[in-house]
Every structure is written in C-alpha cells, then in structure tokens.
Amino acid sequence: MQLWISPLIAFLLGSIPFGLIIAKLKGIDIRAHGSGNIGATNVLRVVGKKYGITCLILDALKGYLPVVLALNLVQIENKTVMPMLGFLQDFALHLPREQQLTGQLVHVLTAFCAIIGHNFSPWVGFKGGKGIATSAGVLIALMPFAIILLIFVWLLTFLTTRYVALASIVAAAALPILTHIGARFHHINNDKTQPTLWEAGTWNKPLFVFTIIIAVLAIWKHRSNIERLRAGTENRFERKRKKVHSDPKAS
C-alpha cells in the first residue's frame, strides 16, 4: 500500500483547481479573464493580491504535502526524513539501502503525479495551470536547498525583466543544472572525507530525470508566453510610480 497510496493522493490533491475555486467565490470565471490560466499569477492579476497569494500557497501545499507523506511512508535505510511525521512510523515501509532506487522512484512518482494533477486536472477538462507553484511545493519537500537557489534565480530574472513568465522559464531551465551540481558536490552523510554522491554512484538518478521532465513540461506550458515575449505583447509587472503632488502655494 505504501508504494501506491502517495502517488494516488498526490494526483487527487494536485487536481484540485484552487485558482478556479477562489475566483468563483468572488463571482469570476478566471478562465474568461486575463491569460485564461487558473494559476496564482492570473488570479493575482484578475481577482487581487491576497487571493493570488492564497492560491499560490494552496497550489504549493498540494505539491508539498503528498511528497512529505511519501517520504515518511517509504523510508530508505540511513536516509534522514525531514520533516518527520511520527504518527506515520507504524505504517512506514523501511527499505534497505540496496533498494533505495525503489524508494526514490516512489518519491519522484508522487511529486510527478501532484504536478500532472495540477496541469491536467480532470475537474476542468484535463486542463490546468502551468505547475510552477506546485513544482515549488514538491521541490521544497524533495530538495529544500535547491529551492532557495531557484528562488534567487527567479527573483533575479523577475527584478531584471519584470516578466513573471520569463522568470519561471529561466528557473525551470536552471533546475536540472542545480540538481546535477548538487550530486557532484554533495558528500555522503555531509562528510567531506567521504566521496561525493556522484563519485559513489549513489546520487538520486530518478530525481535528476524528474527535474529534466518537469523543466521541459514547465517550459512547454509557457509556450504561449514565449510567443508573446517574442512578439513583445507579454504582460509585464511595472513598478508603481509615486504620484507627485504640486504645492498650490508654490504657484
């Protein structure tokens, strides 16, 4: 059961269209406004900032929670689980080190199902968002240090260009590169006297393949944004300018 329950929960939770629900509560069909996307960015533009942030958090959680569940239900010998959900320990499947590939595949499949559920939700005709927030949620659970670097890449690109779509595309492209670098420099048990995971051949191969797939998927889901960027018609977040009030006494 531990091997299939987490991917199933991930798809079902990932398929909940929070953006559509939030907008509907305000009497708006988000699919008929803005970019037509049900993701947090369009909700923010059309419905408002606090609703967009709420959607962002909920979309991230539906990626984060099922992966945390998988990490706790399917554990690998000598691998630390963070965060540890103590109440699940009686139900956990403990795999020996020799079967770590099985555990890694379950964790990665769970993450993938959450993103697929979001991007191709059966509740909205197998359509959905672009998966950036949900991808961030699964990555926080799988590789939290990498997400810090990705946020830096995203912010740097956004603050430089003011394009959310371009920042998301650049961050997606950077993900497999960061995963590869992490395997090259991360030592076994964080002990620098030990070989790196790459040298020992124990690096997480399913995770690397997963990052390539979700990077390609994220960029593909942004193909309409890429066309608008090339045409110069993509929506851009402009800095708010302070209003200058003239002093009537000075005239």
Side-chain angles (χ1 to χ4, degrees), residues 207-225:
L207 179 61
F208 179 62
V209 174
F210 168 70
T211 58
I212 294 175
I213 291 173
I214 65 170
V216 171
L217 183 61
I219 294 171
W220 180 77
K221 291 287 284 184
H222 280 87
R223 61 193 184 280
S224 60
N225 301 88

PDB file of all heavy atoms in Angstrom, residues 207-225:
ATOM      1  N   LEU A 207      15.524  11.423  -9.370  1.00  0.00           N
ATOM      2  CA  LEU A 207      15.285  12.837  -9.107  1.00  0.00           C
ATOM      3  C   LEU A 207      15.831  13.696 -10.244  1.00  0.00           C
ATOM      4  O   LEU A 207      15.192  14.668 -10.667  1.00  0.00           O
ATOM      5  CB  LEU A 207      15.927  13.244  -7.779  1.00  0.00           C
ATOM      6  CG  LEU A 207      15.775  14.720  -7.374  1.00  0.00           C
ATOM      7  CD1 LEU A 207      14.308  15.081  -7.225  1.00  0.00           C
ATOM      8  CD2 LEU A 207      16.529  15.001  -6.084  1.00  0.00           C
ATOM      9  N   PHE A 208      17.008  13.347 -10.767  1.00  0.00           N
ATOM     10  CA  PHE A 208      17.599  14.109 -11.860  1.00  0.00           C
ATOM     11  C   PHE A 208      16.723  14.019 -13.114  1.00  0.00           C
ATOM     12  O   PHE A 208      16.450  15.029 -13.771  1.00  0.00           O
ATOM     13  CB  PHE A 208      19.008  13.598 -12.156  1.00  0.00           C
ATOM     14  CG  PHE A 208      19.690  14.317 -13.286  1.00  0.00           C
ATOM     15  CD1 PHE A 208      19.947  15.677 -13.202  1.00  0.00           C
ATOM     16  CD2 PHE A 208      20.075  13.641 -14.435  1.00  0.00           C
ATOM     17  CE1 PHE A 208      20.569  16.359 -14.242  1.00  0.00           C
ATOM     18  CE2 PHE A 208      20.702  14.301 -15.475  1.00  0.00           C
ATOM     19  CZ  PHE A 208      20.950  15.665 -15.376  1.00  0.00           C
ATOM     20  N   VAL A 209      16.266  12.809 -13.439  1.00  0.00           N
ATOM     21  CA  VAL A 209      15.373  12.631 -14.594  1.00  0.00           C
ATOM     22  C   VAL A 209      14.081  13.410 -14.375  1.00  0.00           C
ATOM     23  O   VAL A 209      13.565  14.064 -15.301  1.00  0.00           O
ATOM     24  CB  VAL A 209      15.070  11.134 -14.823  1.00  0.00           C
ATOM     25  CG1 VAL A 209      14.022  10.951 -15.917  1.00  0.00           C
ATOM     26  CG2 VAL A 209      16.350  10.380 -15.181  1.00  0.00           C
ATOM     27  N   PHE A 210      13.568  13.362 -13.153  1.00  0.00           N
ATOM     28  CA  PHE A 210      12.343  14.087 -12.812  1.00  0.00           C
ATOM     29  C   PHE A 210      12.507  15.587 -13.035  1.00  0.00           C
ATOM     30  O   PHE A 210      11.613  16.244 -13.601  1.00  0.00           O
ATOM     31  CB  PHE A 210      11.984  13.799 -11.352  1.00  0.00           C
ATOM     32  CG  PHE A 210      10.926  14.691 -10.779  1.00  0.00           C
ATOM     33  CD1 PHE A 210       9.612  14.593 -11.195  1.00  0.00           C
ATOM     34  CD2 PHE A 210      11.250  15.627  -9.800  1.00  0.00           C
ATOM     35  CE1 PHE A 210       8.628  15.420 -10.658  1.00  0.00           C
ATOM     36  CE2 PHE A 210      10.278  16.451  -9.264  1.00  0.00           C
ATOM     37  CZ  PHE A 210       8.956  16.347  -9.693  1.00  0.00           C
ATOM     38  N   THR A 211      13.640  16.146 -12.619  1.00  0.00           N
ATOM     39  CA  THR A 211      13.844  17.590 -12.784  1.00  0.00           C
ATOM     40  C   THR A 211      13.917  17.979 -14.263  1.00  0.00           C
ATOM     41  O   THR A 211      13.453  19.055 -14.642  1.00  0.00           O
ATOM     42  CB  THR A 211      15.113  18.064 -12.055  1.00  0.00           C
ATOM     43  OG1 THR A 211      16.259  17.360 -12.553  1.00  0.00           O
ATOM     44  CG2 THR A 211      14.998  17.850 -10.551  1.00  0.00           C
ATOM     45  N   ILE A 212      14.473  17.106 -15.084  1.00  0.00           N
ATOM     46  CA  ILE A 212      14.500  17.379 -16.527  1.00  0.00           C
ATOM     47  C   ILE A 212      13.078  17.383 -17.090  1.00  0.00           C
ATOM     48  O   ILE A 212      12.690  18.285 -17.852  1.00  0.00           O
ATOM     49  CB  ILE A 212      15.362  16.336 -17.271  1.00  0.00           C
ATOM     50  CG1 ILE A 212      16.829  16.462 -16.869  1.00  0.00           C
ATOM     51  CG2 ILE A 212      15.215  16.495 -18.790  1.00  0.00           C
ATOM     52  CD1 ILE A 212      17.722  15.385 -17.469  1.00  0.00           C
ATOM     53  N   ILE A 213      12.284  16.383 -16.684  1.00  0.00           N
ATOM     54  CA  ILE A 213      10.916  16.258 -17.200  1.00  0.00           C
ATOM     55  C   ILE A 213      10.064  17.458 -16.792  1.00  0.00           C
ATOM     56  O   ILE A 213       9.365  18.051 -17.629  1.00  0.00           O
ATOM     57  CB  ILE A 213      10.272  14.952 -16.697  1.00  0.00           C
ATOM     58  CG1 ILE A 213      10.957  13.749 -17.342  1.00  0.00           C
ATOM     59  CG2 ILE A 213       8.770  14.932 -17.026  1.00  0.00           C
ATOM     60  CD1 ILE A 213      10.501  12.409 -16.776  1.00  0.00           C
ATOM     61  N   ILE A 214      10.121  17.851 -15.498  1.00  0.00           N
ATOM     62  CA  ILE A 214       9.266  18.960 -15.074  1.00  0.00           C
ATOM     63  C   ILE A 214       9.763  20.291 -15.620  1.00  0.00           C
ATOM     64  O   ILE A 214       8.969  21.208 -15.837  1.00  0.00           O
ATOM     65  CB  ILE A 214       9.108  19.015 -13.538  1.00  0.00           C
ATOM     66  CG1 ILE A 214      10.434  19.318 -12.836  1.00  0.00           C
ATOM     67  CG2 ILE A 214       8.481  17.769 -13.004  1.00  0.00           C
ATOM     68  CD1 ILE A 214      10.246  19.623 -11.350  1.00  0.00           C
ATOM     69  N   ALA A 215      11.066  20.404 -15.875  1.00  0.00           N
ATOM     70  CA  ALA A 215      11.587  21.620 -16.503  1.00  0.00           C
ATOM     71  C   ALA A 215      11.049  21.743 -17.922  1.00  0.00           C
ATOM     72  O   ALA A 215      10.573  22.826 -18.329  1.00  0.00           O
ATOM     73  CB  ALA A 215      13.109  21.598 -16.510  1.00  0.00           C
ATOM     74  N   VAL A 216      11.110  20.652 -18.674  1.00  0.00           N
ATOM     75  CA  VAL A 216      10.587  20.652 -20.046  1.00  0.00           C
ATOM     76  C   VAL A 216       9.081  20.907 -20.035  1.00  0.00           C
ATOM     77  O   VAL A 216       8.560  21.697 -20.840  1.00  0.00           O
ATOM     78  CB  VAL A 216      10.900  19.309 -20.751  1.00  0.00           C
ATOM     79  CG1 VAL A 216      10.174  19.222 -22.088  1.00  0.00           C
ATOM     80  CG2 VAL A 216      12.404  19.159 -20.951  1.00  0.00           C
ATOM     81  N   LEU A 217       8.368  20.271 -19.097  1.00  0.00           N
ATOM     82  CA  LEU A 217       6.923  20.445 -19.000  1.00  0.00           C
ATOM     83  C   LEU A 217       6.561  21.888 -18.668  1.00  0.00           C
ATOM     84  O   LEU A 217       5.630  22.467 -19.261  1.00  0.00           O
ATOM     85  CB  LEU A 217       6.362  19.500 -17.935  1.00  0.00           C
ATOM     86  CG  LEU A 217       4.840  19.500 -17.734  1.00  0.00           C
ATOM     87  CD1 LEU A 217       4.140  19.071 -19.012  1.00  0.00           C
ATOM     88  CD2 LEU A 217       4.457  18.567 -16.579  1.00  0.00           C
ATOM     89  N   ALA A 218       7.297  22.480 -17.729  1.00  0.00           N
ATOM     90  CA  ALA A 218       7.018  23.866 -17.332  1.00  0.00           C
ATOM     91  C   ALA A 218       7.255  24.825 -18.498  1.00  0.00           C
ATOM     92  O   ALA A 218       6.450  25.741 -18.745  1.00  0.00           O
ATOM     93  CB  ALA A 218       7.889  24.260 -16.139  1.00  0.00           C
ATOM     94  N   ILE A 219       8.332  24.624 -19.223  1.00  0.00           N
ATOM     95  CA  ILE A 219       8.631  25.497 -20.367  1.00  0.00           C
ATOM     96  C   ILE A 219       7.587  25.303 -21.457  1.00  0.00           C
ATOM     97  O   ILE A 219       7.121  26.271 -22.075  1.00  0.00           O
ATOM     98  CB  ILE A 219      10.052  25.222 -20.889  1.00  0.00           C
ATOM     99  CG1 ILE A 219      11.088  25.631 -19.832  1.00  0.00           C
ATOM    100  CG2 ILE A 219      10.311  25.975 -22.198  1.00  0.00           C
ATOM    101  CD1 ILE A 219      12.513  25.215 -20.151  1.00  0.00           C
ATOM    102  N   TRP A 220       7.188  24.040 -21.699  1.00  0.00           N
ATOM    103  CA  TRP A 220       6.165  23.757 -22.710  1.00  0.00           C
ATOM    104  C   TRP A 220       4.837  24.412 -22.345  1.00  0.00           C
ATOM    105  O   TRP A 220       4.136  24.945 -23.219  1.00  0.00           O
ATOM    106  CB  TRP A 220       5.992  22.249 -22.854  1.00  0.00           C
ATOM    107  CG  TRP A 220       4.961  21.876 -23.881  1.00  0.00           C
ATOM    108  CD1 TRP A 220       5.091  21.881 -25.244  1.00  0.00           C
ATOM    109  CD2 TRP A 220       3.620  21.432 -23.617  1.00  0.00           C
ATOM    110  NE1 TRP A 220       3.923  21.469 -25.839  1.00  0.00           N
ATOM    111  CE2 TRP A 220       2.999  21.180 -24.870  1.00  0.00           C
ATOM    112  CE3 TRP A 220       2.890  21.208 -22.442  1.00  0.00           C
ATOM    113  CZ2 TRP A 220       1.685  20.742 -24.975  1.00  0.00           C
ATOM    114  CZ3 TRP A 220       1.584  20.762 -22.550  1.00  0.00           C
ATOM    115  CH2 TRP A 220       0.997  20.536 -23.808  1.00  0.00           C
ATOM    116  N   LYS A 221       4.475  24.390 -21.054  1.00  0.00           N
ATOM    117  CA  LYS A 221       3.228  25.027 -20.613  1.00  0.00           C
ATOM    118  C   LYS A 221       3.281  26.544 -20.756  1.00  0.00           C
ATOM    119  O   LYS A 221       2.243  27.211 -20.740  1.00  0.00           O
ATOM    120  CB  LYS A 221       2.931  24.652 -19.156  1.00  0.00           C
ATOM    121  CG  LYS A 221       2.554  23.204 -18.930  1.00  0.00           C
ATOM    122  CD  LYS A 221       1.162  22.884 -19.437  1.00  0.00           C
ATOM    123  CE  LYS A 221       0.087  23.401 -18.526  1.00  0.00           C
ATOM    124  NZ  LYS A 221      -1.282  22.999 -18.966  1.00  0.00           N
ATOM    125  N   HIS A 222       4.491  27.089 -20.915  1.00  0.00           N
ATOM    126  CA  HIS A 222       4.658  28.537 -21.098  1.00  0.00           C
ATOM    127  C   HIS A 222       4.818  28.911 -22.574  1.00  0.00           C
ATOM    128  O   HIS A 222       5.236  30.033 -22.876  1.00  0.00           O
ATOM    129  CB  HIS A 222       5.896  29.034 -20.322  1.00  0.00           C
ATOM    130  CG  HIS A 222       5.650  29.233 -18.861  1.00  0.00           C
ATOM    131  ND1 HIS A 222       5.781  28.214 -17.940  1.00  0.00           N
ATOM    132  CD2 HIS A 222       5.282  30.333 -18.147  1.00  0.00           C
ATOM    133  CE1 HIS A 222       5.517  28.682 -16.730  1.00  0.00           C
ATOM    134  NE2 HIS A 222       5.202  29.963 -16.829  1.00  0.00           N
ATOM    135  N   ARG A 223       4.483  28.002 -23.480  1.00  0.00           N
ATOM    136  CA  ARG A 223       4.737  28.265 -24.899  1.00  0.00           C
ATOM    137  C   ARG A 223       3.979  29.489 -25.407  1.00  0.00           C
ATOM    138  O   ARG A 223       4.497  30.238 -26.248  1.00  0.00           O
ATOM    139  CB  ARG A 223       4.414  27.029 -25.738  1.00  0.00           C
ATOM    140  CG  ARG A 223       2.983  26.549 -25.682  1.00  0.00           C
ATOM    141  CD  ARG A 223       2.863  25.140 -26.281  1.00  0.00           C
ATOM    142  NE  ARG A 223       1.478  24.672 -26.329  1.00  0.00           N
ATOM    143  CZ  ARG A 223       0.834  24.172 -25.285  1.00  0.00           C
ATOM    144  NH1 ARG A 223       1.446  24.081 -24.114  1.00  0.00           N
ATOM    145  NH2 ARG A 223      -0.424  23.752 -25.414  1.00  0.00           N
ATOM    146  N   SER A 224       2.748  29.730 -24.896  1.00  0.00           N
ATOM    147  CA  SER A 224       2.011  30.929 -25.314  1.00  0.00           C
ATOM    148  C   SER A 224       2.693  32.185 -24.791  1.00  0.00           C
ATOM    149  O   SER A 224       2.722  33.223 -25.479  1.00  0.00           O
ATOM    150  CB  SER A 224       0.563  30.861 -24.826  1.00  0.00           C
ATOM    151  OG  SER A 224       0.510  30.781 -23.411  1.00  0.00           O
ATOM    152  N   ASN A 225       3.259  32.096 -23.581  1.00  0.00           N
ATOM    153  CA  ASN A 225       4.005  33.241 -23.042  1.00  0.00           C
ATOM    154  C   ASN A 225       5.258  33.509 -23.866  1.00  0.00           C
ATOM    155  O   ASN A 225       5.629  34.674 -24.090  1.00  0.00           O
ATOM    156  CB  ASN A 225       4.406  32.980 -21.586  1.00  0.00           C
ATOM    157  CG  ASN A 225       3.222  32.722 -20.688  1.00  0.00           C
ATOM    158  OD1 ASN A 225       2.782  31.591 -20.561  1.00  0.00           O
ATOM    159  ND2 ASN A 225       2.692  33.767 -20.067  1.00  0.00           N
TER     160      ASN A 225
END
